[in-house]
Amino acid sequence: MTAENEQLKARLAELEQGIEEKEQEIHHFKNKIKISNIVDNRPVNPEDATEMSDLINNYIQEIDHLITYLSE
């Protein structure tokens, strides 16, 4: 019975870690949406908006890479 309890505890810890990672991903995606909304709502000419959007998307991609690197 003790071995089974240990396996269940290990599985629970694994699932809790997975939930934490998913919550972080959700938080990250919410931030992406907020940034996109800020860019979309900002009154600038279309060329500047496109340039700013591309710049922010590049920053987001770089942050994604860093998060992936740090979580390994």
Side-chain angles (χ1 to χ4, degrees), residues 7-68:
Q7 286 178 329
L8 291 172
K9 286 180 184 179
R11 180 69 177 140
L12 178 60
E14 181 182 311
L15 292 172
E16 287 174 340
Q17 177 65 31
I19 289 171
E20 177 64 29
E21 289 172 3
K22 295 300 178 194
E23 286 176 348
Q24 288 176 359
E25 288 177 24
I26 289 170
H27 180 71
H28 181 66
F29 287 127
K30 284 180 182 178
N31 285 339
K32 281 184 179 181
I33 291 169
K34 287 178 187 177
I35 290 170
S36 294
N37 289 339
I38 290 169
V39 170
D40 291 342
N41 293 329
R42 186 163 184 238
V44 294
N45 68 50
E47 294 154 2
D48 289 344
T50 302
E51 183 179 337
M52 180 178 282
S53 179
D54 290 343
L55 183 62
I56 290 173
N57 285 334
N58 288 337
Y59 286 146
I60 290 171
Q61 288 176 352
E62 186 63 29
I63 290 168
D64 283 341
H65 291 304
L66 292 171
I67 289 171
T68 301

